Amino acid sequence: MKTSLINIRIRQPDDWHLHLRDGSLMQAVVGQSARVFRRAVVMPNLSPPITSIEAAINYKEKINSATPLGSSFEPLMTIYLTDDLSPNVLVNGYKQGVFFAAKLYPANSTTNSSEGVSDLRLIYPLFETMQQIGMPLLIHGEVTDPDVDIFDREAIFIERHLEPLLYNYPALRIVLEHITTENAVQFVENSSRNLAATITPHHLHINRNAMFLGGFKSDFYCLPIAKRERHRLALRKAATSGKPCFFLGTDSAPHLRAFKETSCGCAGIFNAPVALESYAEVFDQEGSLDKLESFASLNGPNFYQVPINPDFITLTKKPNQVPSFIEVGTCENKVEKIVPFHAGEILNWSVLTD
Ligand code: DOR
Ligand code: ZN
């Protein structure tokens, strides 16, 4: 049978938000991102978190050693902001080229965030420093007050914290990470060019029903939690709009199956094995494949003021069977697994490898 292939060739993309973890888990997953992305902003929420220049250098070396030979993958390191972090660490780490950006986790907002910031006002001097030196601030934008409904946490963060932050630090470059609401889309679109947002593949594909379809599906539990359909549609429109303030950040967050499927399961979706293919699916469905390159490969570098990648990659429209799980080693003779996003599905797009 003759099949006609549709190929699209785009500049090599970057992942502007990625969790690589540590140890054997990191070794098992890094190749999945390096297969497609040239650079990735690596999240610092390890246990303990990356809060010093030495820790970031050490972590970067470990990632480089775990990267498959011949890959030009470059991890861009971030520092985890805490209530008592010294501005000097930011200045020195940024000026030495160790830190690409700093990450703000409101304390207890997500995985390994208990040492995050308990009150944003405590770190206003850090924002002042970052504004002065031009260091980008990456934000997990959710309030953590237990009386705020989990589905409202992002919208309320924007009103209570992001608005004052932009007002007080107009020259600070900020990325609101993994946005999940129409509120965030509109807020970012209507803000200055110093504010941008990343959008994950999973928030483009699923709404909150995915977690409860026919029983509780912890594979779709991530933070910020997926919202109503109206919000998913707004995110799809934003991502495929080509607007420079929206770009790719997978938030691929691997957790072993055993830690997802338990009485207190971890938040996170491991999408690295099919991340770009998953985005391509959305852009194809929206009739916007011509905007995929802006979202995946141009808008991020332009916002961060770094060069666009020199190489190109090709996506081809052909069936792509996603495995039901990925083995990541053994523990006490039991195989450890991670279930990837789109597990068991057949996607329509594949990345061509030489
Ligand atoms: O779903 C998530 N998983 N959201 C985050 O913010 C953190 C991440 C993780 O580290 O597992
Ligand atoms: Zn994340």
Side-chain angles (χ1 to χ4, degrees):
M1 195 176 72
K2 193 162 171 273
T3 47
S4 66
L5 289 183
I6 302 175
N7 286 351
I8 50 171
R9 189 166 175 267
I10 60 169
R11 286 273 177 177
Q12 190 178 5
D14 304 295
D15 185 350
W16 298 103
H17 184 125
L18 176 64
H19 297 269
L20 284 176
R21 313 301 189 206
D22 207 355
S24 57
L25 189 48
M26 186 253 293
Q27 289 172 358
V29 302
V30 68
Q32 304 282 357
S33 297
R35 148 194 96 89
V36 168
F37 297 108
R38 175 64 172 251
R39 296 168 287 204
V41 174
V42 179
M43 291 299 120
N45 62 332
L46 303 186
S47 179
I50 305 292
T51 54
S52 70
I53 297 175
E54 299 69 40
I57 292 175
N58 190 268
Y59 186 30
K60 185 173 185 167
E61 278 168 6
K62 287 200 270 179
I63 296 168
N64 284 336
S65 317
T67 300
L69 280 179
S71 163
S72 48
F73 181 70
E74 187 191 352
L76 304 172
M77 308 313 290
T78 56
I79 178 159
Y80 180 112
L81 298 178
T82 59
D83 288 352
D84 53 10
L85 189 79
S86 150
N88 292 337
V89 176
L90 290 183
V91 174
N92 295 336
Y94 187 64
K95 294 206 165 153
Q96 288 169 25
V98 176
F99 303 139
F100 179 74
K103 176 73 191 254
L104 164 64
Y105 288 104
N108 303 317
S109 54
T110 186
T111 310
N112 292 340
S113 62
S114 59
E115 292 173 58
V117 176
S118 63
D119 181 341
L120 257 60
R121 286 167 299 188
L122 292 174
I123 62 159
Y124 265 37
L126 298 182
F127 298 146
E128 184 71 50
T129 302
M130 292 173 68
Q131 176 171 256
Q132 263 167 29
I133 62 176
M135 183 178 192
L137 171 67
L138 316 182
I139 301 184
H140 182 109
E142 288 194 285
V143 294
T144 53
D145 319 41
D147 56 336
V148 175
D149 190 288
I150 188 166
F151 294 100
D152 297 333
R153 288 182 182 175
E154 181 176 280
I156 293 192
F157 182 91
I158 292 171
E159 280 169 31
R160 281 194 200 159
H161 301 294
L162 190 55
E163 262 185 311
L165 203 58
L166 292 175
Y167 179 78
N168 288 315
Y169 303 98
L172 181 60
R173 273 183 302 146
I174 300 177
V175 181
L176 185 57
E177 302 281 6
H178 41 53
I179 57 169
T180 58
T181 55
E182 192 179 34
N183 317 50
V185 166
Q186 286 169 1
F187 188 80
V188 172
E189 279 176 341
N190 296 329
S191 294
S192 78
R193 295 189 67 92
N194 287 329
L195 179 68
T198 53
I199 305 179
T200 75
H202 40 278
H203 290 113
L204 295 172
H205 279 279
I206 62 166
N207 64 28
R208 61 192 194 175
N209 285 342
M211 275 177 295
F212 307 106
L213 213 66
F216 177 58
K217 302 279 169 56
S218 61
D219 290 329
F220 298 118
Y221 171 53
C222 63
L223 288 170
I225 201 154
K227 309 294 192 297
R228 295 182 170 275
E229 180 64 358
R230 166 165 69 85
H231 297 289
R232 184 183 77 99
L233 296 179
L235 295 169
R236 285 170 78 100
K237 195 160 167 231
T240 58
S241 68
K243 291 185 181 168
C245 54
F246 300 115
F247 47 85
L248 185 157
T250 64
D251 198 14
S252 179
H255 290 283
L256 293 182
R257 186 79 193 127
F259 296 118
K260 291 287 288 176
E261 218 170 46
T262 162
S263 61
C264 187
C266 296
I269 295 182
F270 177 52
N271 58 39
V274 285
L276 190 64
E277 297 85 339
S278 176
Y279 283 117
E281 201 88 5
V282 171
F283 280 71
D284 192 6
Q285 288 161 359
E286 296 289 326
S288 307
L289 281 169
D290 59 322
K291 301 285 189 337
L292 180 62
E293 185 179 47
S294 307
F295 179 77
S297 318
L298 308 179
N299 295 349
N302 287 339
F303 179 83
Y304 281 115
Q305 301 166 2
V306 296
I308 286 161
N309 290 321
D311 296 336
F312 288 80
I313 61 157
T314 303
L315 282 144
T316 187
K317 193 160 186 177
K318 70 166 193 204
N320 183 351
Q321 173 73 57
V322 185
S324 314
F325 60 83
I326 285 169
E327 290 184 11
V328 291
T330 49
C331 179
E332 292 169 355
N333 288 333
K334 272 180 60 192
V335 176
E336 308 232 67
K337 297 175 185 173
I338 308 180
V339 176
F341 189 44
H342 295 296
E345 290 176 34
I346 300 176
L347 295 179
N348 292 304
W349 287 90
S350 310
V351 173
L352 275 188
T353 42
D354 327 302

